[in-house]
Amino acid sequence: MHTSLNSAQETERPNSQVQILIVDADPQMRLVCAEMAASLGYAIRTTGDLEIASDILHGQLVEVLLLCLPWGTKRGLDLITEVKLLHPNIGIVVMTGSTSVNDAVEALRRGASDYLTKPFTVDDLFEALRRAMCDLGPQRRSEWTNSSKGLMKDMGGMVGRSIKMERIFRVISQIGPSDKGVLILGESGTGKEMVARALHRVANKLNGPFLPVDCGSIVPSLFEAELFGYIKGAFTGAFRDKQGLLASAKGGTVFLDEIGELSLDVQAKLLRTLQSKEIRPIGSNRTTHFDSRIIAATSRDISKMVDSGAFRLDLFYRLSVVTLRVPPLRSRKEDIPLLVSHFLKKLSSKRGTPRSLSGEAMKCMMKYHWPGNVRELENALERASALVEGTVIEADNLPTPLQESARVSAEFRQLYGTSSAASSPSIRSLIAVERDAIERAILATGGDKLKAAKLLGIGKTTLYRKLREYEIADRITIKSNNP
């Protein structure tokens, strides 16, 4: 066993964390994979050499192996056979190029848990690593699972156990204690402010305030005065000195929601403040030290705003040292039952009357597209809770869009003979029409996605995204064009 390996890197982690070895000759790919795995809570070792990897696997505990398998590499395949003999419960995820699928199939035959074809997405890697956990012994799997569940307890009311939310929780735990700038992206209603509050909470800045600022609700002409403050006589109506929001934070956190609404003039002054760590109130020649953390958020496409000149590139870089994208609810529907339980408990406590959801009502919840995300879900439950006469919320008590979505889904099932359903509605939403067209194309082409995309006049990537959004693959059997 080597005591010093220049090409291997190790990060000390608590014993409860799963040990992963990343083997890839490409340094950049090793770094990217290490960052992804670290955000999931793995203890990381990396190397670009198969022989060094063999030494590590022989001499130290490794529970998951992420192995790049270049085309035609017999040594890489032999390493899989070798390590499975040493550690039968190790989880192995193989990364391959597009031309080495045959090797990936052989790797699976020799004991690999899964394989990824480069290039792959962050979510693809997360799902593969999660599946690799199934090969671990029950005790280690239980320890890791309990550690994952414990993350949610420190998130200040944020709810979710999906892969995407678990990733958010782990990143918050990692970057929360620092003062790095964070830019939170996501659609309206996804919970960007809750993410910001969780970052503030983890940072242990409870001695300093959390000040949320809605950049879109303050009149542009008054925003600079609200943010930086002013002195008496600075402008007409300034009858006394006023401390700005930035100065009021005093070591806490300032959350600038909808940062994309700021004018270019205010953006320039905010940038100067962040760079100099000094605040100059309007009309004053004096500056005060600024030591608070800035967290920004927007539901707009900030990259397009930068490209068009509507948002300063230098400010974007200053704010987005770390970027967190909060997923829409439709992409993490497995969290809906947990969210429903969470909000019903709150409503029951608030009203003093227990509330529960019927099976049919839950089906409506799961089939709906949720354009308003978590905020819409909470509002839907609050409305239904107020209207229901008993303690059980039925499907008929839910808002009309949720009932409509369930009827559209039932119409599709009736059309293809999978179940009985009510008569079709007279008016259908555009989302329902699009979903129906995709389902028809998939069935018409026998599940051939490439042909279905051509039939619909869209790209294959767009079709894959729509299949995931509408969960069509979960309702009908389709075949893949990939080997």
Side-chain angles (χ1 to χ4, degrees), residues 17-37:
Q17 291 187 302
V18 175
Q19 310 294 310
I20 183 171
L21 174 63
I22 300 171
V23 185
D24 197 314
D26 182 352
Q28 188 62 36
M29 181 58 71
R30 289 202 306 272
L31 178 61
V32 170
C33 290
E35 289 178 349
M36 293 182 192

Side-chain angles (χ1 to χ4, degrees), residues 373-395:
N373 295 294
V374 179
R375 183 186 296 128
E376 183 182 8
L377 186 147
E378 183 177 13
N379 290 340
L381 288 173
E382 189 163 1
R383 174 188 178 277
S385 180
L387 295 177
V388 67
E389 294 182 359
T391 60
V392 179
I393 298 174
E394 301 289 350

Side-chain angles (χ1 to χ4, degrees), residues 46-65:
T46 71
T47 181
D49 188 285
L50 287 173
E51 298 308 320
I52 292 177
S54 178
D55 287 342
I56 295 172
L57 290 163
H58 277 77
Q60 297 181 25
L61 173 67
V62 173
E63 296 168 287
V64 175
L65 172 63

Side-chain angles (χ1 to χ4, degrees), residues 126-160:
F126 276 127
E127 290 176 9
L129 291 177
R130 285 287 292 265
R131 287 193 291 268
M133 293 298 302
C134 294
D135 284 346
L136 298 184
Q139 181 178 350
R140 289 295 288 139
R141 186 164 62 245
S142 176
E143 289 175 359
W144 190 84
T145 302
N146 291 335
S147 172
S148 300
K149 290 180 179 179
L151 285 171
M152 195 171 67
K153 296 179 181 178
D154 299 324
M155 294 297 118
M158 293 178 66
V159 174

Side-chain angles (χ1 to χ4, degrees), residues 341-361:
S341 175
H342 172 73
F343 289 131
L344 286 181
K345 284 180 181 177
K346 285 179 60 178
L347 288 169
S348 298
S349 175
K350 178 180 177 181
R351 299 179 182 275
T353 305
R355 290 285 186 266
S356 61
L357 205 66
S358 72
E360 285 301 314

Side-chain angles (χ1 to χ4, degrees), residues 77-385:
L77 292 170
D78 289 343
L79 180 62
I80 295 174
T81 303
E82 183 182 317
V83 72
K84 288 300 285 189
L85 289 173
L86 284 169
H87 310 293
N89 289 332
I90 191 172
I92 302 176
V93 178
V94 171
M95 301 180 288
T96 72
S98 58
T99 61
S100 56
V101 176
N102 290 337
D103 285 338
V105 173
E106 176 63 17
L108 294 175
R109 190 186 70 79
R110 295 193 184 202
S113 311
D114 208 341
Y115 80 91
L116 296 168
T117 302
K118 295 179 180 180
F120 49 79
T121 66
V122 174
D123 287 338
D124 290 337
L125 178 59
F126 276 127
E127 290 176 9
L129 291 177
R130 285 287 292 265
R131 287 193 291 268
M133 293 298 302
C134 294
D135 284 346
L136 298 184
Q139 181 178 350
R140 289 295 288 139
R141 186 164 62 245
S142 176
E143 289 175 359
W144 190 84
T145 302
N146 291 335
S147 172
S148 300
K149 290 180 179 179
L151 285 171
M152 195 171 67
K153 296 179 181 178
D154 299 324
M155 294 297 118
M158 293 178 66
V159 174
R161 286 183 186 156
S162 61
I163 291 175
K164 294 181 178 181
M165 288 307 295
E166 185 175 309
R167 186 177 68 194
I168 293 285
F169 296 156
R170 291 190 182 278
V171 173
I172 289 173
S173 297
Q174 286 183 318
I175 66 173
S178 72
D179 283 328
K180 291 179 180 178
V182 181
L183 179 62
I184 305 170
L185 306 177
E187 298 176 8
S188 178
T190 52
K192 297 186 291 295
E193 182 172 336
M194 293 195 73
V195 172
R197 289 184 181 275
L199 285 165
H200 173 74
R201 181 186 183 90
V202 173
N204 197 25
K205 287 182 174 291
L206 298 181
N207 55 326
F210 177 86
L211 297 180
V213 183
D214 187 349
C215 301
S217 66
I218 301 177
V219 179
S221 59
L222 299 178
F223 192 88
E224 186 175 350
E226 290 291 327
L227 202 60
F228 303 103
Y230 53 83
I231 64 171
K232 180 179 179 180
F235 50 83
T236 303
F239 300 115
R240 56 181 176 81
D241 293 352
K242 180 178 180 179
Q243 188 178 53
L245 291 169
L246 294 181
S248 300
K250 295 180 181 177
T253 301
V254 178
F255 174 54
L256 299 177
D257 196 11
E258 294 303 338
I259 190 75
E261 303 299 325
L262 293 183
S263 68
L264 288 171
D265 288 342
V266 177
Q267 289 178 35
K269 188 163 185 179
L270 177 60
L271 177 64
R272 287 195 298 271
T273 298
L274 296 178
Q275 289 175 332
S276 66
K277 292 292 183 181
E278 292 181 337
I279 305 170
R280 176 176 292 177
I282 298 174
S284 175
N285 293 323
R286 296 181 178 180
T287 60
T288 57
H289 180 64
F290 171 68
D291 62 350
S292 303
R293 184 181 196 176
I294 293 288
I295 298 176
T298 181
S299 58
R300 301 179 64 177
D301 190 332
I302 199 75
S303 297
K304 286 185 178 179
M305 293 184 66
V306 170
D307 292 341
S308 66
F311 199 87
R312 293 180 62 110
L313 179 61
D314 44 9
L315 179 58
F316 172 75
Y317 284 137
R318 175 68 65 170
L319 293 171
S320 60
V321 176
V322 177
T323 301
L324 271 174
R325 187 175 294 275
V326 186
L329 184 56
R330 62 182 173 274
S331 73
R332 58 179 187 105
K333 284 192 173 182
E334 61 267 42
D335 285 333
I336 288 178
L338 197 62
L339 286 162
V340 168
S341 175
H342 172 73
F343 289 131
L344 286 181
K345 284 180 181 177
K346 285 179 60 178
L347 288 169
S348 298
S349 175
K350 178 180 177 181
R351 299 179 182 275
T353 305
R355 290 285 186 266
S356 61
L357 205 66
S358 72
E360 285 301 314
M362 181 61 78
K363 288 180 182 178
C364 290
M365 290 277 187
M366 297 299 292
K367 290 169 185 172
Y368 187 53
H369 195 58
W370 296 109
N373 295 294
V374 179
R375 183 186 296 128
E376 183 182 8
L377 186 147
E378 183 177 13
N379 290 340
L381 288 173
E382 189 163 1
R383 174 188 178 277
S385 180

